[in-house]
Amino acid sequence: MLEEPHIPFEYEVLYEDENIIVIDKPAGLLSIATEKEKNLTAYHMVTDYVKEKNKQNRIFIIHR
């Protein structure tokens, strides 16, 4: 069985309601993907988090 790779970053959800989520992104964690890194980003991690609640959820970064 394949294990999920360890993600060395954790983030704190500072605020969340049905329309907005605010996190404390740790230093060193990319906000969005680059050509070299697609998955280890705050965008990817928070997308996974909101999709656990509802597969139709989507996020849009409004400040980074």
Side-chain angles (χ1 to χ4, degrees), residues 30 32-45:
L30 295 173
I32 58 174
T34 65
E35 293 218 4
K36 292 184 178 184
E37 181 56 61
K38 303 288 184 208
N39 296 318
L40 192 55
T41 66
Y43 178 85
H44 187 78
M45 294 166 68

Side-chain angles (χ1 to χ4, degrees), residues 2 4-5 18 20 26 30 36 47 57:
L2 293 175
E4 289 286 319
E18 66 184 48
I20 193 166
L30 295 173
K36 292 184 178 184
T47 294
N57 283 342

Side-chain angles (χ1 to χ4, degrees), residues 11-17 20-24 46 49:
Y11 59 91
E12 179 182 359
V13 175
L14 301 176
Y15 178 82
E16 179 179 2
D17 66 24
I20 193 166
I21 185 167
V22 178
I23 68 163
D24 182 12
V46 176
Y49 171 78

